[in-house]
Every structure is written in C-alpha cells, then in structure tokens.
Amino acid sequence: MWLLFYDPFKGDRAMKKMLVFLIMVFLVAFSACSHKEPEEFVYVKGGDFVNTNANYYEKNVTISDFYIGRYEVTQKEWTRIMGNNPSEFKGDNLPVEMVSWYDCISYCNKRSIEEGLKPYYKIDKDTKDLNNKSEYDDVKWTVMINPGADGYRLPTEAEWEYAASGGQMSGGYTYSGSNDADEVAWHWQNAGDEYLTGDWNWPAIANNHNKTNPIGTKKPNELGLYDMSGNVREWCWDWYGETESESGSSRVWKGGGWLGDVSCCEFSYRGKFEANGMGADSGFRLCRDK
C-alpha cells in the first residue's frame, strides 16, 4: 500500500533543501569568524595600545579594526594606476617616492575606481582649504571623507602607529618589529654600498650611493608588515599638531627612511611636511576600512 503514496522525487527535493540550508549556515558562520583581507593587505585587530613606547599608550585611544598594506606602495603599482613614475630611484619593486600628500590622495581614489570601490575622498581642486595654514603650500585642495566609502585611503597617524607597534601582538619594540634598527629598517647608515658610522653626513651619504631598497627585504613586524621603519617616510592623513587637529600647516609622516637618522625610524617618531612637499625618501602605504 505504501507504494500508492510514495513520491520517488520527494526525498531528493528534501535532501536538496537540507543541503542548501546547511551550506548557507556554513557560509554565514564562516564569514562571521573569518577576516579575508584584500590581496597584499593585513587585517589589523583593533583595541587599545599595548606598546608602552607609543605616543597613544594609556591615552584612551582605541583603534577600530582595519586593513593596512603589507608593503609600501611600489612603483609598479603606482604606474599601473597613474600612468607615470615620478620616482628618483627606478625599479618596479622599489617603493614609489617623490609623491606629495595630494598625489597619494589622488592615487587612493583612482585605484578605488579602478577596482570598483567607492572613492574614500571628496577632492575639490577649485576651493582652497581654509584649514591649511601653510604659506608654502600652493595647492591647498579641499579634501573631505566620503561617509561609508570602502575605497583606499591613507592611515591616520594613530592607525599607522598602532600597526607599526605590533597592535595587540606587540613585543614592545622601539622600531617596528625589533629593538635593532638594522633588522627591520633601511636608514642612512645601511642603505648604501657600505655601513656608515659617525654622525649624519650628506657628502658621505651621497658618495655611499644610498637609495631606496626593494620592499620586504628586511624583517617584518609582529603583524607581518614590512618597512614600517625605514626605506621611505610614509604619509598619514592627519594634520601635524595636537591629536585630531582640524587644521595646520603640515601633514604627518611616519617611519623614517633611507636618508634619515635612525631615530626617525622609531615607530613613535612624528615627522611633518607641507602637503605639497615631496622627496626621494617620501612614499606611503594604503589602508581600507574593515
């Protein structure tokens, strides 16, 4: 009698529905517990500053989760998006340099558009930024943030320092990933033909053929980030001044470079430069919101 009521396809449909349900449950659970970072980016788990050398240690500054580039932006990456290479020292795997803060902002938006992301910045080239107090900056674009944008951006100074200090995995180092600058950083003493000693000396640096070096050739820090100490100075979003200043005459740079003193490679060191400034030791790395 049971044959009169048996549907040979009913069981298959039930099994298919159950299979689809289980797949959906798995995908939701997987996405909730995983953080798949964009290619060549590192997921940085937020929190309070752990490294006691940080400027923000015990200052009630909590960092949200974000992504940051594993490496400094290279000349190959820059050329692909911008169609030119302004760098003094040429090489696909070398960090791009001779770029101003405005150049980096433009790159962020162009790369975002290229990859189908919403540009992070609103750039008004026709309106002078009244918050820019510099007498030397002849550009002074007004740059604002697009709320909710998922595109590329510069790190804030606090984000940069948090990532460079090792985040929640910090070993308490002075430089990004070590207490020995030579392990993690290209600086004026080791970025040329021979290791220089004594006081900083430009003729000695020039004669030693100091320059940028390929990305990722020194030891990474605790988060797997390379060259956050040394190689090129890295632009940040912030005005140079008090925390979260809304105006100023210079933008912050961090990390030191091949031309600078070892002390500039300390992750806590704060440098400044007019936003239209550029140099053969000035580059950047990218961030994205989680």
Side-chain angles (χ1 to χ4, degrees):
M1 293 294 294
W2 61 270
L3 289 175
L4 296 176
F5 301 99
Y6 176 65
D7 183 346
F9 302 103
K10 184 176 181 180
D12 290 344
R13 287 198 296 270
M15 286 295 292
K16 288 178 181 177
K17 288 180 179 179
M18 179 60 72
L19 181 60
V20 170
F21 174 76
L22 291 174
I23 291 173
M24 291 177 65
V25 169
F26 172 78
L27 290 175
V28 170
F30 180 78
S31 63
C33 66
S34 66
H35 303 284
K36 190 179 188 310
E37 62 267 10
E39 187 176 359
E40 300 298 357
F41 278 69
V42 170
Y43 169 75
V44 180
K45 177 66 177 175
D48 296 334
F49 281 78
V50 174
N51 193 312
T52 58
N53 297 308
N55 293 307
Y56 299 90
Y57 181 70
E58 293 189 336
K59 295 292 180 61
N60 295 319
V61 175
T62 301
I63 302 299
S64 299
D65 301 349
F66 67 102
Y67 296 108
I68 191 167
R70 187 178 299 277
Y71 307 104
E72 294 162 333
V73 173
T74 65
Q75 294 173 32
K76 182 178 181 180
E77 291 173 318
W78 179 275
T79 303
R80 180 177 68 85
I81 298 299
M82 306 300 281
N84 61 65
N85 186 358
S87 303
E88 177 73 18
F89 305 106
K90 296 294 194 290
D92 282 354
N93 251 4
L94 296 177
V96 67
E97 16 92 358
M98 294 298 293
V99 288
S100 70
W101 185 89
Y102 299 111
D103 293 332
C104 299
I105 292 293
S106 295
Y107 174 88
C108 287
N109 273 9
K110 286 189 176 182
R111 180 163 170 177
S112 297
I113 293 170
E114 174 80 13
E115 298 184 15
L117 303 172
K118 181 180 179 181
Y120 193 83
Y121 299 112
K122 296 178 183 177
I123 303 174
D124 184 350
K125 298 182 180 181
D126 299 320
T127 303
K128 296 295 184 183
D129 185 358
L130 298 179
N131 292 319
N132 190 331
K133 309 301 182 182
S134 173
E135 58 181 306
Y136 304 108
D137 188 344
D138 58 355
V139 180
K140 293 188 176 180
W141 294 347
T142 296
V143 181
M144 301 179 69
I145 294 171
N146 274 321
D150 60 352
Y152 296 102
R153 61 178 177 84
L154 293 178
T156 65
E157 180 183 4
E159 287 175 328
W160 191 100
E161 192 166 309
Y162 180 80
S165 71
Q168 294 300 300
M169 300 173 65
S170 178
Y173 301 122
T174 300
Y175 307 99
S176 184
S178 179
N179 285 324
D180 180 355
D182 291 327
E183 282 191 334
V184 294
W186 295 110
H187 51 86
W188 79 277
Q189 291 179 286
N190 68 5
D193 296 338
E194 299 178 356
Y195 195 94
L196 300 177
T197 59
D199 296 331
W200 189 95
N201 181 289
W202 169 244
I205 291 171
N207 292 332
N208 198 43
H209 305 111
N210 280 29
K211 62 181 183 62
T212 56
N213 282 267
I215 59 167
T217 49
K218 288 286 187 179
K219 176 184 172 183
N221 79 349
E222 302 92 318
L223 298 177
L225 302 172
Y226 292 85
D227 299 312
M228 295 203 80
S229 286
N231 218 6
V232 291
R233 300 177 292 168
E234 300 182 14
W235 285 108
C236 293
W237 162 256
D238 307 65
W239 292 107
Y240 184 90
E242 298 298 324
T243 302
E244 297 183 352
S245 296
E246 295 183 359
S247 65
S249 59
S250 302
R251 296 284 182 171
V252 172
W253 62 257
K254 299 283 286 181
W258 65 269
L259 180 57
D261 190 72
V262 178
S263 62
C264 299
C265 296
E266 296 179 12
F267 76 82
S268 59
Y269 184 87
R270 302 183 74 230
K272 62 180 179 179
F273 208 6
E274 281 83 8
N276 66 332
M278 59 186 70
D281 63 336
S282 295
F284 69 114
R285 76 178 66 220
L286 297 174
C287 274
R288 281 180 62 184
D289 288 345
K290 176 183 171 297

